[in-house]
């Protein structure tokens, strides 16, 4: 039987971050083979992840970032179960590595992002190892990206909310930053009225009719009243028609026009923990 020393256990612990007893058991099970012991711990991590699959993972970190020339931006949400783990250095470092990898490789989907390799192993495998170290369920819950002439990223203090904004022209960094903050603060549902999904329109119209009916309005007036409520919804919830948070005398669309009449928002993304 292979003798496992305290130095061996400590070495494996330093390599993996796993607990002392977990490292000792892994080495005993694998006859002191460090590579096999690491695999053993990774497999253990998979079991832990499976056992905790029904747990809520609503804490974590949200980050948005662009490449150097600001033509491509990504945002990710890495979830865990507790705020304590969300503030862990290794957890934050993992999020940083993931978003830098996304910037460098431009994956087209969340699955493609998770399949990217970091130091010879997929991101999914790295997450499994981190689960083994922390004992908490964690996952990359969301991945968003924008490819445009200019992309701005905004990270709200505390890394619980982040936005991306894409515009059709470059050279308007301050403007892009201001509107990315607008998206964070006002949470629009679409860029403009024509971009609001039909399902959302119908829902708001039905809500408007029911509100008018509850107020005792005549049946033949319900559709007209509901349409008025829908127009108010558009003003409050479509980006270009919202009041600009820096100057309420202007809409966001009017603010853009003061910078360049041809300047347009082509896309935005907003990620928020718990939303």
């Amino acid at each position: 039987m292979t003798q496992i020393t305290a130095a061996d256990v400590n070495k494996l612990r330093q390599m993996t971050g796993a607990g002392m007893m977990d490292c000792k058991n892994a080495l005993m099970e694998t006859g002191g083979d460090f590579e096999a012991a690491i695999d053993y711990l990774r497999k253990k991590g998979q079991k832990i992840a499976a056992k905790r699959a029904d747990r809520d993972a609503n804490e974590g970190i949200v980050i948005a970032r662009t490449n150097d020339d600001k033509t491509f931006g990504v945002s990710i949400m890495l979830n865990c179960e507790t705020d304590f783990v969300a503030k862990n250095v290794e957890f934050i470092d993992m999020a940083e590595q993931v978003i830098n990898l996304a910037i460098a490789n431009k994956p087209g989907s969340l699955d493609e992002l998770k399949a990217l390799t970091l130091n010879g192993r997929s991101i999914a495998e790295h997450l499994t190892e981190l689960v083994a170290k922390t004992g908490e369920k964690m996952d990359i819950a969301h991945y968003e990206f924008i490819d445009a002439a200019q992309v701005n990223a905004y990270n709200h203090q505390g890394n619980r909310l982040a936005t991306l904004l894409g515009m059709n022209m470059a050279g308007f960094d301050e403007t892009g930053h201001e509107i990315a903050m607008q998206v964070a603060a006002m949470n629009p549902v679409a860029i403009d009225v024509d971009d609001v999904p039909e399902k959302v329109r119908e829902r708001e119209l039905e809500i408007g009719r029911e509100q008018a009916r509850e107020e005792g309005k005549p049946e033949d007036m319900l559709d007209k009243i509901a349409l008025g409520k829908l127009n108010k919804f558009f003003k409050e919830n479509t980006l270009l028609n919202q009041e600009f948070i820096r100057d309420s005398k202007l809409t966001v669309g009017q603010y853009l026009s003061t910078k360049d009449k041809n300047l347009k928002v082509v896309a935005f993304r907003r990620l928020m923990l718990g939303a």
Side-chain angles (χ1 to χ4, degrees), residues 44-58 79-81 131 135-139:
K44 182 185 176 185
Q46 291 170 350
K47 290 178 183 178
I48 292 171
K51 287 178 181 177
R52 304 180 74 88
D54 60 342
R55 299 287 295 271
D56 290 330
N58 295 323
N79 283 143
C80 60
E81 293 178 34
V131 167
E136 287 199 6
K137 175 183 176 182
M138 58 183 64
D139 190 22

Side-chain angles (χ1 to χ4, degrees), residues 59-251:
E59 292 297 330
I61 186 170
V62 180
I63 310 175
R65 188 163 296 163
T66 68
N67 58 1
D68 290 341
D69 61 6
K70 295 192 174 183
T71 57
F72 182 74
V74 304
S75 58
I76 64 162
M77 181 187 294
L78 180 60
N79 283 143
C80 60
E81 293 178 34
T82 65
D83 186 54
F84 177 77
V85 168
K87 294 177 179 177
N88 179 278
V89 173
E90 281 189 275
F91 184 83
I92 295 170
D93 183 60
M94 183 66 200
E96 289 284 339
Q97 291 186 75
V98 169
I99 199 165
N100 287 336
L101 204 61
I103 288 290
N105 291 272
K106 298 185 176 181
S109 68
L110 179 56
D111 287 341
E112 287 183 20
L113 173 62
K114 289 181 179 181
L116 293 176
T117 57
L118 181 64
N119 299 325
R121 298 196 302 278
S122 70
I123 288 175
E125 289 176 306
H126 281 281
L127 283 175
T128 296
E129 291 181 2
L130 203 51
V131 167
K133 292 180 184 179
T134 64
E136 287 199 6
K137 175 183 176 182
M138 58 183 64
D139 190 22
I140 304 173
H142 297 284
Y143 163 64
E144 302 286 351
F145 66 91
I146 293 178
D147 198 341
Q150 178 179 302
V151 182
N152 286 86
Y154 170 72
N155 293 283
H156 194 62
Q157 186 176 4
N159 290 116
R160 300 179 66 87
L161 168 65
T163 62
L164 293 172
L165 185 96
M167 298 195 298
N168 66 330
M169 299 168 65
F172 295 89
D173 193 48
E174 183 179 349
T175 303
H177 177 72
E178 294 284 358
I179 302 179
M181 290 179 63
Q182 173 91 20
V183 172
M186 301 305 293
N187 192 20
V189 300
I191 295 173
D192 206 348
V193 173
D194 291 341
D195 305 307
V196 177
E198 189 62 31
K199 184 177 180 180
V200 174
R201 293 169 182 263
E202 290 300 323
R203 183 191 69 206
E204 292 301 320
L205 282 171
E206 185 57 33
I207 290 172
R209 292 188 194 99
E210 285 302 313
Q211 287 175 340
R213 188 175 286 118
E214 288 293 320
E215 293 166 1
K217 304 298 184 184
E219 285 291 322
D220 61 353
M221 293 292 293
L222 297 186
D223 285 346
K224 183 177 181 180
I225 293 171
L227 186 59
K229 290 179 179 291
L230 179 63
N231 288 330
K232 183 181 179 183
F233 173 84
F234 288 153
K235 178 175 174 58
E236 294 175 349
N237 293 279
T238 55
L239 178 61
L240 297 184
N241 300 291
Q242 288 178 335
E243 289 184 358
F244 182 44
I245 56 175
R246 294 293 193 187
D247 184 350
S248 61
K249 295 178 182 179
L250 297 175
T251 66

